[in-house]
Amino acid sequence: MPIVLKTRREIELMRTAGKLAHDILLKMAALVRPGVSTADINNLAEEELYKVNAVGLSKNYPTYKPGEGFPASTCISVNEEVVHGIPSPKRTLKDGDIVTLDITPKLNGYCADTAITVPVGTVRPHVQRLLDVTRETLDIALQQIKPGKKWSEVARLMQYNVEKNGFSVIREFVGHGVGHSIHEDPKVPNFVTPEQLRGDFKLRPGMTLAVEPMVVAGRREVQLLDDGWTVITEDHQPAAHFEHTIAVTENGIDILTDGRSNWTL
């Protein structure tokens, strides 16, 4: 499929969805504390989406038929869960946990995708370092994105930052185009392999991308749980995930999920 470039109007509509995602994510993060269930956090997000007639594109993904697909409006992944954790009233957060909050609202026909991993109470130093390095890796990507650059140049720096710190990059899941739908072309990896280089692309103004490093404290191998959705690390080491939706501009990038309500140079 061709990469769809967005107009300024479309980007501004995406920013509206991005601000909603940012604001809900902050409210979700504020609820994180020992004793709270992941279902409590998802319920809060669903209430906020409902208030503005938005939908969470995780719900019923990928068919979007009632009763099918993913059962919640957000993905909430705890500790060794890398992605697609299913919110549950039985999953109660404990001091020392880390929890990834991932939301993709669609509003007025456009969507944005964003995620953060937050500590629950006090976490061990190496777990906090995992969070810091993952966030730093996203920041490196955002600083490097500009028109004319190949994505592999950005991904190589992301992978290097992760691995020099003794962590591993997940390879089964990558970033992606986003806009009219939750997943559009191109694929936006956080690493470089010969296979990924065959899908390499040059950054162009109007591209809208979800950039989302997923980093694990141990080995990068993962497995799928019996629920058919939750992906965990095989060695049960913790995982972190930070994500922004961005638009490539003539000069660099415009972050659409940083909470701003209008475009500024």
Side-chain angles (χ1 to χ4, degrees):
M1 295 289 291
I3 297 171
V4 178
L5 303 181
K6 308 301 190 301
T7 65
R8 171 50 56 187
R9 175 182 175 277
E10 289 177 306
I11 289 170
E12 291 307 315
L13 287 167
M14 287 182 63
R15 189 192 315 282
T16 302
K19 177 166 173 45
L20 176 64
H22 169 271
D23 293 349
I24 293 176
L25 204 60
L26 288 183
K27 292 179 180 179
M28 294 169 70
L31 193 58
V32 168
R33 59 182 178 272
V36 170
S37 76
T38 56
D40 293 333
I41 301 170
N42 178 74
N43 292 342
L44 178 149
E46 290 191 337
E47 290 170 4
E48 295 297 320
L49 290 166
Y50 180 79
K51 287 177 183 177
V52 293
N53 199 31
V55 296
L57 289 179
S58 296
K59 187 69 175 285
N60 303 128
Y61 177 88
T63 65
Y64 295 113
K65 294 179 180 178
E68 295 185 1
F70 193 81
S73 295
T74 65
C75 297
I76 302 181
S77 308
V78 182
N79 296 335
E80 75 277 8
E81 297 173 354
V82 182
V83 286
H84 306 156
I86 299 174
S88 169
K90 297 179 181 179
R91 189 63 188 264
T92 302
L93 300 177
K94 304 186 302 293
D95 187 73
D97 286 343
I98 56 174
V99 56
T100 295
L101 311 171
D102 189 351
I103 185 168
T104 309
K106 189 168 189 177
L107 180 66
N108 299 323
Y110 289 85
C111 57
D113 200 356
T114 187
I116 55 173
T117 304
V118 297
V120 183
T122 303
V123 299
R124 291 168 291 173
H126 83 277
V127 175
Q128 183 61 54
R129 186 162 159 267
L130 172 68
L131 302 185
D132 293 342
V133 168
T134 308
R135 186 186 302 107
E136 178 185 75
T137 301
L138 175 58
D139 289 341
I140 287 170
L142 301 181
Q143 292 162 10
Q144 291 294 320
I145 293 171
K146 62 181 180 181
K149 180 174 284 192
K150 288 186 176 181
W151 179 257
S152 60
E153 298 177 66
V154 179
R156 197 179 301 277
L157 292 173
M158 297 171 75
Q159 181 178 0
Y160 174 75
N161 188 65
V162 170
E163 294 177 352
K164 80 173 184 179
N165 281 285
F167 300 132
S168 302
V169 180
I170 292 294
R171 298 194 181 184
E172 285 75 10
F173 301 92
V174 297
H176 48 88
V178 63
H180 300 285
S181 63
I182 187 172
H183 290 132
E184 299 180 355
D185 284 332
K187 293 182 178 179
V188 184
N190 309 302
F191 55 90
V192 177
T193 64
E195 179 185 6
Q196 292 291 349
L197 286 173
R198 287 194 289 273
D200 203 8
F201 61 93
K202 278 191 176 181
L203 293 159
R204 290 185 287 161
M207 284 182 174
T208 50
L209 309 173
V211 183
E212 50 177 327
M214 300 177 193
V215 179
V216 295
R219 301 191 309 271
R220 65 176 180 84
E221 289 78 15
V222 298
Q223 64 185 55
L224 181 66
L225 294 186
D226 291 341
D227 63 23
W229 289 103
T230 308
V231 175
I232 68 168
T233 55
E234 282 194 354
D235 60 9
H236 295 276
Q237 291 296 301
H241 176 196
F242 286 82
E243 176 179 22
H244 268 310
T245 294
I246 65 99
V248 182
T249 69
E250 296 288 347
N251 302 313
I253 64 165
D254 186 1
I255 302 174
L256 305 181
T257 47
D258 64 358
R260 287 179 299 127
S261 57
N262 62 295
W263 181 53
T264 56
L265 288 172

